[in-house]
Amino acid sequence: DAGVTQSPTHLIKTRGQHVTLRCSPISGHKSVSWYQQVLGQGPQFIFQYYEKEERGRGNFPDRFSARQFPNYSSELNVNALLLGDSALYLCASSTNSQGRYEQYFGPGTRLTVT
Amino acid sequence: LAKTTQPISMDSYEGQEVNITCSHNNIATNDYITWYQQFPSQGPRFIIQGYKTKVTNEVASLFIPADRKSSTLSLPRVSLSDTAVYYCLVGGADSWGKLQFGAGTQVVVTP
C-alpha cells in the first residue's frame, strides 16, 4: 500500500505570497494532521482534521488554514508568507484506534520563502 | 500534555547498544509513551509505544519503571543507518493526531 504522499516536494515563494500544500493519507485513514518543522527543531503541530472537521489547532496565526476533502485528502494553506515560514511541512495520517497513537508521516514539503 | 526531557545528543559505535532515557515527571495516568525516529529531510517514523514495564519489537525495546516518570529506549547493536534524531513523546487519547515533539536526541553512529 502507498504511504502518505505530499506535493509538491519543494517550493520557493516570495514574501507576501500564498501557498497551498497537499496531502493524501494512507488508504482507510480518516485523520490527517499537519506539522511544521523548522531546521534543527522538532515538528510543531499545526492542525488535525478528522472526518472533514477540524479536531485541533496548534499555536499558529490565522494565516494558516487547512481543510479536508471527502476522500480524506487535505490541503494546508498559508497566506501572506513570511521568511519565518520557511520550513519542512509534514503531513501525517492515522486511524481512529484509541489506545494506539501511531501516526504515519509523509516525506514533507520543503518550503523556502525569499 | 506532559513535557519530556531527553539528551540533546549521543554518540555510539557500530554494534553497540544505545540507550536513550527520557524524563516525563508529570505523566498522566492515561498517557502512553511513544518514540519516533527521524532521518534528515524525512518525516518521523513510529518506533515503539508502551504504557508500563517492558515492550519489545523487532527494532527496539522500551523500558518503563513502575513510577512511569521516565522511560528508556534501547536500540540493540546499532548500525550506521541508525544515525537519526529520536523523539520521546507522552500523551493519551487527547493527544491523538496532535503530537507534541520536543527537540529530540541526535544519535550518531560511527564505524
Side-chain angles (χ1 to χ4, degrees):
Chain A
D1 286 341
V4 176
T5 59
Q6 293 186 243
S7 62
T9 305
H10 296 86
L11 202 54
I12 299 175
K13 289 287 189 177
T14 305
R15 277 182 300 174
Q17 286 188 317
H18 161 272
V19 69
T20 297
L21 309 180
R22 296 177 175 82
C23 170
S24 292
I26 291 172
S27 178
H29 287 191
K30 299 180 179 180
S31 170
V32 170
S33 301
W34 286 95
Y35 296 82
Q36 179 197 65
Q37 185 172 26
V38 174
L39 196 61
Q41 299 181 16
Q44 299 300 305
F45 169 72
I46 309 176
F47 284 110
Q48 182 197 15
Y49 274 78
Y50 177 71
E51 288 282 18
K52 297 166 291 246
E53 293 188 0
E54 183 181 306
R55 291 288 293 266
R57 183 186 181 112
N59 187 25
F60 281 81
D62 291 342
R63 299 184 295 107
F64 288 76
S65 64
R67 56 178 175 169
Q68 187 177 34
F69 299 99
N71 66 354
Y72 302 111
S73 66
S74 177
E75 283 184 353
L76 175 69
N77 295 285
V78 186
N79 293 323
L81 285 167
L82 303 174
L83 295 179
D85 295 331
S86 295
L88 181 66
Y89 287 85
L90 297 162
C91 173
S93 74
S94 56
T95 59
N96 185 10
S97 55
Q98 300 296 325
R100 181 172 171 87
Y101 309 109
E102 179 176 354
Q103 286 207 291
Y104 297 83
F105 285 82
T109 294
R110 172 72 62 187
L111 172 65
T112 301
V113 182
T114 62
Chain B
L1 296 174
K3 293 184 178 179
T4 61
T5 303
Q6 52 184 121
I8 295 174
S9 64
M10 297 183 71
D11 295 329
S12 179
Y13 292 104
E14 278 189 297
Q16 290 188 329
E17 179 181 77
V18 172
N19 296 304
I20 309 172
T21 297
C22 177
S23 298
H24 28 79
N25 292 319
N26 298 321
I27 189 169
T29 302
N30 296 328
D31 286 345
Y32 282 77
I33 300 157
T34 310
W35 286 80
Y36 281 78
Q37 174 193 54
Q38 186 177 27
F39 299 111
S41 298
Q42 294 186 25
R45 182 176 72 102
F46 173 93
I47 299 177
I48 197 167
Q49 184 180 75
Y51 183 80
K52 61 181 179 181
T53 62
K54 177 183 175 181
V55 179
T56 298
N57 61 23
E58 65 279 5
V59 177
S61 295
L62 179 59
F63 299 92
I64 306 169
D67 66 5
R68 304 201 327 124
K69 293 184 181 299
S70 68
S71 60
T72 299
L73 174 72
S74 180
L75 305 172
R77 298 178 300 281
V78 294
S79 64
L80 298 178
S81 63
D82 292 315
T83 294
V85 178
Y86 293 82
Y87 297 96
C88 167
L89 291 86
V90 173
D94 59 345
S95 67
W96 175 64
K98 314 176 189 67
L99 300 179
Q100 302 291 333
F101 289 83
T105 297
Q106 173 68 64
V107 172
V108 176
V109 181
T110 54

